[in-house]
Amino acid sequence: MRSPSPRHADIELDEFAPFSSEGPSRWDAAAPLLSQTNDLVETPATRTIIPGVKKSWAARLLTRVQMESEPGLSNAQLMLTNHDLKPVEPQRRQWTAWSFVAFWIADSFNINTWMIASTMLTSGLAWWHALICILIGYSISAVLVCLTGRIGATYHISFPVVCRASFGIWGSFWPVFNRAAMACVWYGVQAWIGGQCITLMIRSIWPSFYTLHNGIPNSGTNTRDFVSFFIFWVASLPAIWFPVHKIRYLFMVKSYIVLVAGLSLFTWAISRARGMGPIIKEPATATGSALAWGWVTGIMSSIGNFATLIVNNPDFSRFASKPRDALWTQLFTIPVGFVVTSFVGIVVSSSSKVIYGTAIWNPLDLLSQFLLDEATSAERVGVFVIALAFALAQLGTNIAANSVSAGTDMAALLPRYLDIRRGGYICALVGLCLCPWNLLKSSNNFTTYLSAYSVFLSSIAAVIICDYYVVRRGYYCVRDLYSARRASPYYYHCGMSWRAYTSYICGVLVNIVGFAGAVGAQVPNGTTYIYRVNFLVGSLVAFAVYYLLCRIKPVPATDATEGDVVVEGKRRRRLVGQIT
């Protein structure tokens, strides 16, 4: 296996002229992406959506909401590209190594990471066992993040475009839609948690807000929580407006604020409890196989918690100034940041056992307890600041893991009408309309369904990694990733790769029975054990199947210098990435 050659990337990206930031259209100064050679041009598309009914209001509306596009593109080509899907031009490659450090410091400080050790301790592990599990799990996650992120940093393309190489030009739509749909669900859930932070902020100023009259009975929530949720939801909207290469400033600011807030809460808890509490001194209660499976489950939960960010890292790494900026910084910052946050969560929860007689793992519940204890004015200010930091943490997590992902995916699903910004706002609207408070209360299995989402993402990530690093050895013909021609090496059969889908299905099926057991069905014990390592098993199965299928029937265009290549039964000649 060889590393992607920057020389190959330069050859391909030279075909994409940068966009102009001046003038009436950002396409004006750009050399055409797909229409620069006659062999890539099909029937030119017009801006009239519904021929024959040009005067209808629907046709005029659709024409007005279209994204700007290159002239002379066919309808098929308009389904594959817009400004946000093209390789990022040098002017927007503004994420430096420190940008990625700030990004992961900011992302590691969130409520879920704070509480992740609680499940491990409940299963019988000692606190230091939990930290080692978290270190191992997030170290593995960091390696996977760097593997997927390297693709985006080298070719400056996003996850939906990367999917086209392995799943096919049209076959990529399913993994993209799959991720977009779940991102919308998660956006609503994370926004609901962010609303709880807003509740604490308001209570620290006006304590009577806690007993606010409920004017919406039988709705699944109450007026207080809905108002807080809606405030957080509205406050999040401006962050979606900014382009991805600019929101690095949000994560830089967040990294400083959450670091100070976390250390403040850590110091306060130790001071109030006069030590780190009893949990730090408690040994493991599990022994034998129970202890071993506790370790395995802890490691897998850490990896599964990171599944979305493993897949969508190209959406951010494509803005890297240099490929190495998205490599070493992510490889080391991810495990360190998440281990430190988890350690702070363990110590604060342990201290709360001394202060309140029981360990409080949810930091929002702990802050709420402060307010219930007739807090002084200074303590209320402290609660407000820390709750604000957690709200900012939820905002950053929602942007990084959900709105940008959904926006990028929707731009790929309907590039003629959507870009990342529009897709992000649609994601926010869907998250609101889903009424996340009902999702979280309607069934105890809902969180299990959300957790099982990593099963699907693991197979997608495995196929992409195997295709790029092992099968293609780091080579993409970038221009063909935006071509719907049947002769394109990524068109496969009807635009879909049977190899990728076979591998994807195998990776999912191996965990299906265990998943059924996780939601209450009676299944054999063996499948339950397999499901405990679902991300690892799904990834390995999908990786192995894809590799074997590509060995049996090789894919085309695996090297820039190869001569004749067969494109699903048709022979064509390729020389240094150019079509001749």
Side-chain angles (χ1 to χ4, degrees), residues 492-561:
Y492 302 111
H493 290 287
C494 301
M496 300 178 63
S497 170
W498 60 269
R499 304 172 188 83
Y501 271 95
T502 301
S503 307
Y504 168 75
I505 293 172
C506 289
V508 172
L509 285 180
V510 73
N511 287 304
I512 283 295
V513 179
F515 168 70
V519 296
Q522 294 294 326
V523 298
N525 289 335
T527 59
T528 302
Y529 293 135
I530 292 175
Y531 186 72
R532 290 181 182 179
V533 289
N534 54 60
F535 191 96
L536 181 62
V537 170
S539 298
L540 291 178
V541 169
F543 189 100
V545 172
Y546 187 79
Y547 175 74
L548 290 175
L549 292 177
C550 290
R551 292 285 293 180
I552 295 171
K553 187 172 179 59
V555 298
T558 58
D559 194 283
T561 58

Side-chain angles (χ1 to χ4, degrees), residues 396-523:
T397 299
N398 233 1
I399 295 296
N402 298 318
S403 73
V404 170
S405 300
T408 305
D409 293 339
M410 291 182 192
L413 293 172
L414 203 59
R416 196 167 185 172
Y417 299 101
L418 298 178
D419 58 4
I420 293 177
R421 179 180 295 161
R422 292 181 182 180
Y425 283 118
I426 292 174
C427 173
L429 182 61
V430 172
L432 173 66
C433 295
L434 285 175
C435 301
W437 55 89
N438 286 329
L439 295 178
L440 295 173
K441 290 183 178 180
S442 61
S443 172
N444 292 330
N445 286 331
F446 179 72
T447 54
T448 303
Y449 293 135
L450 290 182
S451 300
Y453 181 49
S454 63
V455 172
F456 300 92
L457 294 183
S458 64
S459 298
I460 295 172
V463 169
I464 291 174
I465 291 172
C466 182
D467 179 74
Y468 181 74
Y469 288 96
V470 180
V471 176
R472 302 187 186 278
R473 296 168 294 170
Y475 173 73
Y476 281 166
C477 178
V478 177
R479 190 153 61 97
D480 281 330
L481 292 172
Y482 299 85
S483 172
R485 297 189 318 125
R486 294 182 183 276
S488 168
Y490 308 116
Y491 196 81
Y492 302 111
H493 290 287
C494 301
M496 300 178 63
S497 170
W498 60 269
R499 304 172 188 83
Y501 271 95
T502 301
S503 307
Y504 168 75
I505 293 172
C506 289
V508 172
L509 285 180
V510 73
N511 287 304
I512 283 295
V513 179
F515 168 70
V519 296
Q522 294 294 326
V523 298

Side-chain angles (χ1 to χ4, degrees), residues 31-107:
L33 168 64
L34 297 174
S35 59
Q36 56 184 317
T37 56
N38 292 332
D39 64 333
L40 291 179
V41 178
E42 301 171 11
T43 305
T46 66
R47 293 184 63 85
T48 302
I49 307 302
I50 309 176
V53 286
K54 297 181 180 179
K55 296 183 179 180
S56 72
W57 66 269
R60 291 196 300 270
L61 176 62
L62 289 175
T63 301
R64 287 182 64 87
V65 299
Q66 280 189 72
M67 304 301 302
E68 293 178 343
S69 61
E70 294 178 17
L73 297 185
S74 69
N75 286 315
Q77 291 165 344
L78 288 172
M79 287 294 294
L80 294 174
T81 185
N82 65 20
H83 176 70
D84 284 336
L85 291 178
K86 276 192 170 185
V88 177
E89 68 278 6
Q91 290 86 343
R92 289 192 296 152
R93 299 174 194 170
Q94 299 178 8
W95 281 54
T96 64
W98 288 110
S99 300
F100 286 98
V101 170
F103 176 84
W104 289 115
I105 290 176
D107 190 74

Side-chain angles (χ1 to χ4, degrees), residues 294-311:
W295 276 73
V296 171
T297 303
I299 294 172
M300 288 299 107
S301 64
S302 299
I303 300 175
N305 186 46
F306 222 68
T308 300
L309 293 168
I310 290 172
V311 172

Side-chain angles (χ1 to χ4, degrees), residues 2 26 29 99 197 200 218 226 258 301 335 338 423 425 447 457 466 538 567:
R2 63 177 169 81
R26 57 190 171 195
S99 300
C197 301
L200 286 170
N218 303 319
F226 180 79
V258 298
S301 64
F338 283 84
Y425 283 118
T447 54
L457 294 183
C466 182
V567 183

